[in-house]
Amino acid sequence: MSLSYSMALLCQSIYNSPAIGFDEIISNGAVYVGKIKSQLQTIIVFRGTADLEDVLLDLESVEPMQVPLVGTVGRGFHAGVQDIFDRMGLKAGDCVTITGHSKGCSNGMIFARYCLLRGIIVSNLILFAPPKTGDQIFIDGLRYVNNIEAYCNRLD
């Protein structure tokens, strides 16, 4: 099974209630994420829009927000991501694969920037139906991700 297919299945699973297959689910109201930890790396799965609060954050994301060292991103996409990053307990030298769907892609890309800024290795960033998240400075800051894949479905 390919890595991208496995990540697609995890992105689908994170919408289930309860989400199964994860070692930990972390949520702060704005961001909902599943975590799978192994000796080699941590897989982090960001859920997309699933409820009214998420829709409101999507709408808020049209408002740009300047984040020091990160770039300009949509305010609603950034909401809660730094808190989730702090709660993950990752440290420099750790290795992560990050994936997400829709709003979760934006959350995941911003999370990836925080990882890179803290010396955490982002081996894969696999995105399903990613919206426009930030400016060119933000995008350029993702250049140290080892592998980025983005999949778009014209129906999503």
Side-chain angles (χ1 to χ4, degrees), residues 10-93:
L10 288 173
C11 283
Q12 183 179 26
S13 178
I14 196 75
Y15 284 94
N16 295 333
S17 183
I20 55 173
F22 298 95
D23 296 328
E24 184 178 6
I25 298 292
I26 302 169
S27 178
N28 58 12
V31 179
Y32 188 90
V33 62
K35 178 179 175 182
I36 302 170
K37 182 127 174 79
S38 73
Q39 278 188 316
L40 299 177
Q41 72 172 329
T42 300
I43 298 171
I44 302 166
V45 181
F46 287 87
R47 185 186 74 188
T49 304
D51 56 28
L52 181 58
E53 186 172 349
D54 291 338
V55 170
L56 296 174
L57 289 169
D58 286 345
L59 294 172
E60 193 178 321
S61 293
V62 299
E63 181 183 342
M65 171 184 180
Q66 175 61 39
V67 181
L69 303 176
V70 171
T72 300
V73 297
R75 183 174 299 283
F77 292 147
H78 184 269
V81 174
Q82 187 169 8
D83 172 62
I84 292 293
F85 177 82
D86 293 342
R87 291 170 58 184
M88 279 284 174
L90 299 168
K91 59 187 180 311

Coordinates of all heavy atoms in Angstrom, one line a residue, residues 10-93:
L10 N -6.2 7.3 6.6 CA -6.2 8.0 8.0 C -7.0 9.3 8.0 O -7.7 9.6 8.9 CB -4.8 8.3 8.4 CG -3.9 7.0 8.8 CD1 -2.5 7.4 9.0 CD2 -4.5 6.4 10.0
C11 N -6.9 10.0 6.9 CA -7.7 11.3 6.8 C -9.2 11.0 6.8 O -10.0 11.7 7.4 CB -7.4 12.0 5.5 SG -5.8 12.9 5.6
Q12 N -9.6 9.9 6.2 CA -11.0 9.5 6.2 C -11.4 9.0 7.6 O -12.4 9.4 8.1 CB -11.2 8.3 5.2 CG -12.6 7.9 5.1 CD -12.8 6.7 4.1 OE1 -11.8 6.0 3.8 NE2 -14.0 6.6 3.5
S13 N -10.5 8.3 8.3 CA -10.8 7.7 9.6 C -10.9 8.8 10.7 O -11.7 8.7 11.6 CB -9.7 6.8 10.0 OG -9.9 6.3 11.3
I14 N -10.2 9.9 10.5 CA -10.2 11.0 11.6 C -11.6 11.6 11.7 O -12.0 12.2 12.7 CB -9.1 12.1 11.3 CG1 -8.9 12.9 12.5 CG2 -9.5 12.9 10.1 CD1 -8.1 12.2 13.6
Y15 N -12.5 11.5 10.6 CA -13.8 12.0 10.7 C -14.8 11.1 11.4 O -15.9 11.6 11.8 CB -14.4 12.2 9.3 CG -13.8 13.4 8.5 CD1 -12.7 13.3 7.7 CD2 -14.4 14.7 8.7 CE1 -12.2 14.4 7.0 CE2 -13.9 15.8 8.0 CZ -12.8 15.6 7.2 OH -12.3 16.7 6.6
N16 N -14.4 9.9 11.7 CA -15.3 8.9 12.4 C -15.4 9.3 13.9 O -14.5 9.9 14.4 CB -14.8 7.5 12.3 CG -14.8 7.0 10.8 OD1 -15.6 7.4 10.0 ND2 -13.9 6.1 10.5
S17 N -16.5 9.0 14.5 CA -16.7 9.2 15.9 C -17.1 7.9 16.5 O -18.1 7.4 16.3 CB -17.8 10.2 16.1 OG -17.9 10.5 17.5
P18 N -16.2 7.3 17.3 CA -14.8 7.8 17.6 C -13.9 7.5 16.5 O -14.0 6.5 15.8 CB -14.5 7.0 18.9 CG -15.2 5.7 18.8 CD -16.5 6.1 18.1
A19 N -12.8 8.3 16.4 CA -11.8 8.1 15.4 C -10.9 6.9 16.0 O -10.4 7.0 17.1 CB -10.9 9.3 15.3
I20 N -10.8 5.9 15.2 CA -10.1 4.7 15.6 C -8.8 4.6 14.8 O -8.6 5.1 13.7 CB -10.9 3.4 15.5 CG1 -11.4 3.2 14.0 CG2 -12.1 3.4 16.4 CD1 -12.1 1.9 13.7
G21 N -7.8 3.9 15.4 CA -6.5 3.7 14.8 C -5.5 4.7 15.2 O -4.3 4.7 14.7
F22 N -5.8 5.6 16.1 CA -4.9 6.6 16.6 C -4.5 6.3 18.0 O -5.2 5.9 18.8 CB -5.5 8.0 16.5 CG -5.9 8.4 15.1 CD1 -7.2 8.2 14.6 CD2 -4.9 8.9 14.2 CE1 -7.5 8.5 13.3 CE2 -5.3 9.2 12.9 CZ -6.6 9.0 12.4
D23 N -3.2 6.7 18.3 CA -2.7 6.5 19.7 C -3.3 7.6 20.6 O -3.5 7.4 21.8 CB -1.2 6.6 19.7 CG -0.5 5.5 19.0 OD1 -1.1 4.4 19.0 OD2 0.6 5.7 18.4
E24 N -3.6 8.8 20.0 CA -4.1 9.9 20.7 C -4.9 10.8 19.8 O -4.5 11.0 18.7 CB -2.9 10.7 21.3 CG -3.2 11.8 22.2 CD -2.0 12.5 22.8 OE1 -0.8 12.1 22.5 OE2 -2.2 13.3 23.7
I25 N -5.9 11.4 20.3 CA -6.7 12.4 19.6 C -6.5 13.7 20.5 O -6.7 13.7 21.7 CB -8.2 12.1 19.5 CG1 -8.4 10.8 18.7 CG2 -9.0 13.3 19.0 CD1 -8.1 10.9 17.3
I26 N -6.2 14.8 19.8 CA -6.0 16.1 20.5 C -6.9 17.1 19.8 O -6.9 17.2 18.6 CB -4.5 16.5 20.4 CG1 -3.6 15.5 21.0 CG2 -4.3 17.9 21.1 CD1 -2.1 15.7 20.8
S27 N -7.6 17.8 20.6 CA -8.5 18.8 20.1 C -8.6 20.0 21.0 O -8.5 19.9 22.2 CB -9.9 18.3 19.9 OG -10.8 19.3 19.4
N28 N -8.7 21.2 20.5 CA -8.8 22.4 21.3 C -10.0 23.2 20.8 O -10.1 24.4 21.1 CB -7.5 23.3 21.3 CG -7.1 23.7 19.9 OD1 -7.9 23.6 18.9 ND2 -5.9 24.2 19.7
G29 N -10.9 22.6 20.1 CA -12.1 23.3 19.6 C -11.9 23.8 18.2 O -12.8 23.7 17.3
A30 N -10.7 24.4 17.9 CA -10.4 24.9 16.6 C -9.7 23.9 15.7 O -9.9 23.9 14.5 CB -9.5 26.2 16.7
V31 N -9.0 23.0 16.3 CA -8.2 22.0 15.5 C -8.5 20.6 16.1 O -8.5 20.5 17.4 CB -6.7 22.3 15.6 CG1 -5.9 21.3 14.8 CG2 -6.4 23.7 15.0
Y32 N -8.6 19.6 15.3 CA -8.9 18.3 15.7 C -7.8 17.4 15.0 O -7.8 17.4 13.7 CB -10.3 17.8 15.3 CG -10.7 16.5 15.8 CD1 -11.4 16.4 17.1 CD2 -10.5 15.3 15.1 CE1 -11.8 15.2 17.6 CE2 -11.0 14.1 15.6 CZ -11.6 14.1 16.8 OH -12.0 12.9 17.3
V33 N -7.0 16.7 15.7 CA -5.9 16.0 15.1 C -5.7 14.6 15.8 O -5.9 14.5 17.0 CB -4.6 16.8 15.3 CG1 -4.2 17.1 16.7 CG2 -3.4 16.2 14.5
G34 N -5.3 13.6 15.0 CA -5.0 12.3 15.5 C -3.5 12.1 15.4 O -2.8 12.6 14.5
K35 N -2.9 11.3 16.3 CA -1.5 11.1 16.4 C -1.2 9.6 16.5 O -1.9 8.9 17.3 CB -1.0 11.8 17.7 CG 0.5 11.7 17.9 CD 0.9 12.5 19.2 CE 2.3 12.3 19.7 NZ 2.5 13.1 20.9
I36 N -0.3 9.2 15.7 CA 0.2 7.8 15.7 C 1.7 7.8 15.9 O 2.4 8.4 15.1 CB -0.1 7.0 14.4 CG1 -1.6 7.0 14.2 CG2 0.4 5.6 14.5 CD1 -2.0 6.5 12.8
K37 N 2.2 7.2 17.0 CA 3.6 7.3 17.3 C 4.3 6.0 17.1 O 3.8 5.0 17.5 CB 3.8 7.8 18.7 CG 5.2 8.0 19.2 CD 5.5 9.3 19.7 CE 6.8 9.5 20.3 NZ 7.8 9.7 19.3
S38 N 5.4 6.0 16.4 CA 6.3 4.8 16.3 C 7.7 5.2 16.7 O 8.0 6.3 17.0 CB 6.2 4.2 14.9 OG 6.9 5.0 14.0
Q39 N 8.6 4.2 16.7 CA 10.0 4.5 17.1 C 10.6 5.4 16.1 O 11.4 6.2 16.4 CB 10.8 3.2 17.2 CG 10.6 2.5 18.5 CD 11.6 1.3 18.5 OE1 11.8 0.6 17.6 NE2 12.3 1.2 19.7
L40 N 10.2 5.3 14.8 CA 10.9 6.0 13.7 C 10.3 7.4 13.5 O 11.0 8.4 13.2 CB 10.9 5.3 12.4 CG 11.6 3.9 12.4 CD1 11.4 3.2 11.1 CD2 13.0 4.1 12.8
Q41 N 9.0 7.5 13.7 CA 8.4 8.8 13.4 C 7.0 8.9 14.0 O 6.4 7.9 14.5 CB 8.3 9.1 11.9 CG 7.3 8.3 11.1 CD 7.2 8.8 9.7 OE1 7.3 9.9 9.4 NE2 6.9 7.8 8.8
T42 N 6.4 10.1 14.0 CA 5.1 10.4 14.4 C 4.2 10.8 13.2 O 4.7 11.6 12.4 CB 5.0 11.5 15.5 OG1 5.8 11.1 16.6 CG2 3.6 11.8 15.9
I43 N 3.1 10.2 13.0 CA 2.1 10.5 12.0 C 1.1 11.4 12.6 O 0.5 11.1 13.6 CB 1.5 9.3 11.3 CG1 2.6 8.4 10.7 CG2 0.5 9.7 10.3 CD1 2.1 7.1 10.2
I44 N 0.8 12.6 12.0 CA -0.1 13.5 12.5 C -1.1 13.8 11.4 O -0.8 14.2 10.3 CB 0.6 14.8 12.9 CG1 1.7 14.5 14.0 CG2 -0.4 15.9 13.5 CD1 2.7 15.6 14.2
V45 N -2.4 13.6 11.8 CA -3.5 13.7 10.9 C -4.5 14.8 11.3 O -5.1 14.7 12.4 CB -4.3 12.3 10.8 CG1 -5.4 12.4 9.8 CG2 -3.3 11.2 10.5
F46 N -4.7 15.8 10.4 CA -5.5 16.9 10.7 C -6.9 16.7 10.0 O -6.9 16.5 8.8 CB -4.9 18.2 10.3 CG -3.8 18.7 11.1 CD1 -2.5 18.2 10.9 CD2 -4.0 19.5 12.2 CE1 -1.4 18.6 11.7 CE2 -3.0 20.0 13.0 CZ -1.7 19.5 12.7
R47 N -7.9 16.8 10.8 CA -9.3 16.7 10.3 C -9.7 18.0 9.6 O -9.3 19.1 10.1 CB -10.3 16.4 11.4 CG -11.7 16.1 10.9 CD -12.7 15.9 12.0 NE -12.9 17.2 12.6 CZ -13.6 17.4 13.7 NH1 -14.1 16.4 14.4 NH2 -13.8 18.6 14.2
G48 N -10.5 18.0 8.6 CA -11.0 19.2 7.9 C -12.3 19.6 8.5 O -12.6 19.3 9.7
T49 N -13.0 20.4 7.8 CA -14.3 21.0 8.3 C -15.3 19.9 8.6 O -15.6 19.0 7.7 CB -14.9 21.9 7.2 OG1 -13.9 22.9 6.9 CG2 -16.1 22.6 7.7
A50 N -15.8 19.8 9.8 CA -16.8 18.8 10.2 C -18.0 19.3 11.0 O -18.9 18.6 11.2 CB -16.0 17.7 11.1
D51 N -17.9 20.6 11.4 CA -19.0 21.1 12.2 C -19.1 22.6 12.0 O -18.3 23.2 11.2 CB -18.9 20.8 13.7 CG -17.6 21.2 14.3 OD1 -17.0 22.2 13.8 OD2 -17.1 20.6 15.2
L52 N -20.1 23.2 12.6 CA -20.4 24.7 12.4 C -19.2 25.5 12.8 O -18.8 26.5 12.2 CB -21.6 25.1 13.2 CG -22.0 26.6 13.0 CD1 -22.2 27.0 11.6 CD2 -23.2 26.9 13.9
E53 N -18.5 25.1 13.9 CA -17.3 25.9 14.4 C -16.2 25.9 13.3 O -15.6 26.9 13.0 CB -16.8 25.3 15.7 CG -15.7 26.2 16.2 CD -15.2 25.8 17.6 OE1 -15.9 25.0 18.3 OE2 -14.2 26.2 18.1
D54 N -16.1 24.7 12.6 CA -15.1 24.7 11.5 C -15.5 25.5 10.4 O -14.6 26.2 9.8 CB -14.9 23.2 11.1 CG -14.3 22.3 12.1 OD1 -13.5 22.8 12.9 OD2 -14.5 21.1 12.0
V55 N -16.8 25.6 10.0 CA -17.2 26.4 8.9 C -16.9 27.9 9.3 O -16.5 28.6 8.4 CB -18.8 26.2 8.7 CG1 -19.3 27.3 7.7 CG2 -19.0 24.8 8.2
L56 N -17.2 28.3 10.5 CA -16.9 29.7 10.9 C -15.4 30.0 10.8 O -15.0 31.1 10.4 CB -17.4 30.0 12.3 CG -18.9 29.9 12.5 CD1 -19.3 30.0 13.9 CD2 -19.6 30.9 11.6
L57 N -14.5 29.0 11.1 CA -13.1 29.2 11.0 C -12.7 29.3 9.5 O -11.8 30.1 9.1 CB -12.3 28.1 11.7 CG -12.4 28.1 13.2 CD1 -11.8 26.9 13.8 CD2 -11.6 29.3 13.7
D58 N -13.4 28.5 8.7 CA -13.1 28.6 7.2 C -13.4 30.0 6.7 O -12.6 30.5 6.0 CB -14.0 27.6 6.5 CG -13.6 26.1 6.6 OD1 -12.4 25.9 7.1 OD2 -14.4 25.2 6.3
L59 N -14.5 30.5 7.1 CA -14.9 31.9 6.7 C -13.9 32.9 7.2 O -13.6 33.9 6.5 CB -16.3 32.2 7.2 CG -17.4 31.4 6.6 CD1 -18.8 31.6 7.3 CD2 -17.5 31.6 5.1
E60 N -13.4 32.7 8.4 CA -12.4 33.6 9.0 C -11.1 33.5 8.3 O -10.3 34.5 8.4 CB -12.3 33.3 10.5 CG -11.6 34.3 11.3 CD -11.5 34.0 12.8 OE1 -12.5 33.5 13.3 OE2 -10.4 34.3 13.4
S61 N -10.9 32.5 7.6 CA -9.6 32.3 7.0 C -9.3 33.2 5.8 O -8.2 33.3 5.3 CB -9.4 30.8 6.5 OG -9.3 30.0 7.7
V62 N -10.4 33.9 5.3 CA -10.1 34.8 4.2 C -9.4 36.1 4.7 O -8.8 36.8 4.0 CB -11.4 35.2 3.5 CG1 -12.1 34.0 2.9 CG2 -12.4 35.9 4.4
E63 N -9.4 36.3 6.1 CA -8.7 37.4 6.7 C -7.2 37.0 6.9 O -6.9 36.1 7.6 CB -9.3 37.8 8.0 CG -8.7 39.0 8.6 CD -9.3 39.3 10.0 OE1 -10.4 38.9 10.3 OE2 -8.6 40.0 10.8
P64 N -6.3 37.7 6.3 CA -4.9 37.4 6.4 C -4.4 37.8 7.8 O -4.8 38.8 8.4 CB -4.2 38.2 5.3 CG -5.1 39.3 5.0 CD -6.5 38.8 5.3
M65 N -3.4 37.0 8.3 CA -2.8 37.2 9.6 C -1.3 37.1 9.5 O -0.9 36.0 9.0 CB -3.4 36.2 10.6 CG -2.7 36.2 11.9 SD -3.5 34.9 12.9 CE -2.5 35.1 14.4
Q66 N -0.5 38.0 9.9 CA 0.9 37.9 9.8 C 1.4 37.2 11.1 O 1.1 37.6 12.2 CB 1.5 39.3 9.8 CG 3.1 39.3 9.8 CD 3.7 38.6 8.7 OE1 3.3 38.6 7.6 NE2 4.8 37.9 9.0
V67 N 2.1 36.1 10.9 CA 2.6 35.3 12.0 C 4.1 35.4 11.9 O 4.7 35.0 10.9 CB 2.2 33.8 11.9 CG1 2.7 33.0 13.1 CG2 0.6 33.7 11.9
P68 N 4.8 35.9 12.9 CA 6.3 36.1 12.9 C 7.0 34.7 12.6 O 6.6 33.7 13.1 CB 6.6 36.5 14.3 CG 5.4 37.2 14.8 CD 4.2 36.4 14.2
L69 N 7.9 34.8 11.6 CA 8.7 33.7 11.2 C 8.0 32.6 10.3 O 8.6 31.8 9.8 CB 9.4 32.9 12.3 CG 10.3 33.8 13.2 CD1 10.9 32.9 14.4 CD2 11.5 34.4 12.4
V70 N 6.6 32.8 10.3 CA 5.8 31.8 9.5 C 5.4 32.4 8.2 O 5.5 31.8 7.2 CB 4.6 31.4 10.4 CG1 3.6 30.6 9.5 CG2 5.0 30.6 11.6
G71 N 4.9 33.6 8.2 CA 4.4 34.3 7.0 C 3.0 34.7 7.2 O 2.5 34.7 8.4
T72 N 2.3 35.1 6.2 CA 0.9 35.5 6.3 C 0.0 34.4 5.9 O 0.2 33.8 4.8 CB 0.7 36.7 5.3 OG1 1.5 37.8 5.7 CG2 -0.8 37.2 5.4
V73 N -0.9 34.0 6.8 CA -1.8 32.9 6.6 C -3.2 33.3 6.9 O -3.4 34.4 7.6 CB -1.4 31.7 7.5 CG1 0.0 31.2 7.1 CG2 -1.4 32.0 9.0
G74 N -4.2 32.5 6.6 CA -5.6 32.8 6.9 C -5.8 32.7 8.4 O -5.3 31.7 9.0
R75 N -6.4 33.7 9.0 CA -6.6 33.8 10.5 C -7.3 32.5 11.0 O -6.9 31.9 12.0 CB -7.4 35.0 10.9 CG -7.6 35.2 12.4 CD -8.2 36.5 12.7 NE -7.4 37.6 12.3 CZ -6.3 38.1 12.9 NH1 -5.9 37.5 14.0 NH2 -5.7 39.2 12.4
G76 N -8.3 32.1 10.3 CA -9.1 30.9 10.8 C -8.2 29.6 10.7 O -8.4 28.7 11.5
F77 N -7.4 29.5 9.7 CA -6.5 28.3 9.5 C -5.5 28.3 10.6 O -5.1 27.2 11.0 CB -5.8 28.3 8.2 CG -6.7 28.1 7.0 CD1 -6.5 28.7 5.8 CD2 -7.9 27.3 7.1 CE1 -7.3 28.6 4.7 CE2 -8.7 27.2 6.0 CZ -8.4 27.8 4.8
H78 N -5.0 29.4 11.1 CA -4.0 29.4 12.1 C -4.6 29.2 13.5 O -3.9 28.7 14.4 CB -3.3 30.8 12.1 CG -2.1 30.8 13.1 ND1 -2.3 31.3 14.4 CD2 -0.8 30.5 13.0 CE1 -1.1 31.2 15.0 NE2 -0.2 30.7 14.2
A79 N -5.9 29.5 13.7 CA -6.5 29.4 15.0 C -6.3 28.0 15.6 O -6.6 27.0 15.1 CB -8.0 29.7 14.9
G80 N -5.6 28.0 16.8 CA -5.5 26.8 17.5 C -4.3 25.9 17.2 O -3.9 25.0 17.9
V81 N -3.6 26.2 16.0 CA -2.5 25.4 15.6 C -1.3 25.4 16.5 O -0.7 24.4 16.9 CB -2.1 25.7 14.1 CG1 -0.8 24.9 13.7 CG2 -3.2 25.4 13.2
Q82 N -0.9 26.6 16.9 CA 0.3 26.7 17.8 C 0.0 26.0 19.2 O 0.9 25.3 19.7 CB 0.6 28.2 18.1 CG 1.9 28.3 18.9 CD 2.4 29.7 18.9 OE1 1.8 30.7 18.5 NE2 3.6 29.9 19.4
D83 N -1.2 26.1 19.7 CA -1.6 25.4 20.9 C -1.4 23.8 20.7 O -0.9 23.1 21.5 CB -3.0 25.7 21.3 CG -3.5 24.8 22.4 OD1 -2.9 24.9 23.5 OD2 -4.5 24.1 22.2
I84 N -1.9 23.3 19.5 CA -1.8 21.9 19.2 C -0.3 21.5 19.1 O 0.1 20.5 19.7 CB -2.6 21.5 18.0 CG1 -4.1 21.7 18.2 CG2 -2.2 20.2 17.4 CD1 -4.7 20.7 19.1
F85 N 0.5 22.4 18.5 CA 1.9 22.1 18.3 C 2.5 22.0 19.7 O 3.3 21.1 20.0 CB 2.6 23.2 17.5 CG 4.1 23.0 17.5 CD1 4.6 22.1 16.5 CD2 4.9 23.6 18.4 CE1 6.0 21.9 16.5 CE2 6.3 23.4 18.3 CZ 6.8 22.5 17.4
D86 N 2.2 22.9 20.6 CA 2.8 22.9 22.0 C 2.4 21.7 22.7 O 3.2 21.1 23.5 CB 2.4 24.2 22.7 CG 3.0 25.5 22.1 OD1 4.0 25.4 21.4 OD2 2.4 26.5 22.4
R87 N 1.2 21.2 22.5 CA 0.6 20.0 23.2 C 1.2 18.7 22.7 O 1.1 17.7 23.4 CB -0.9 20.1 23.2 CG -1.5 21.2 24.0 CD -2.9 21.4 23.8 NE -3.7 20.2 24.2 CZ -5.0 20.2 24.0 NH1 -5.7 21.2 23.5 NH2 -5.7 19.1 24.3
M88 N 1.7 18.7 21.5 CA 2.2 17.5 20.9 C 3.5 17.0 21.6 O 3.7 15.8 21.5 CB 2.5 17.7 19.4 CG 1.4 17.6 18.5 SD 0.9 15.9 18.2 CE -0.6 16.3 17.3
G89 N 4.2 17.8 22.2 CA 5.4 17.4 22.9 C 6.6 17.0 21.9 O 7.4 16.2 22.4
L90 N 6.6 17.5 20.7 CA 7.7 17.1 19.8 C 8.9 17.9 20.2 O 8.9 19.0 20.7 CB 7.3 17.4 18.4 CG 6.1 16.7 17.9 CD1 5.6 17.3 16.6 CD2 6.4 15.2 17.7
K91 N 10.1 17.3 19.8 CA 11.4 18.1 20.1 C 12.3 18.0 18.9 O 12.1 17.2 18.0 CB 12.0 17.5 21.4 CG 12.3 16.0 21.3 CD 12.8 15.5 22.6 CE 13.2 14.0 22.6 NZ 12.2 13.1 22.0
A92 N 13.3 18.9 18.9 CA 14.2 18.9 17.8 C 14.8 17.5 17.5 O 15.1 16.8 18.4 CB 15.3 19.9 18.1
G93 N 14.8 17.2 16.2 CA 15.4 15.9 15.8 C 14.3 14.8 15.6 O 14.5 13.8 15.0

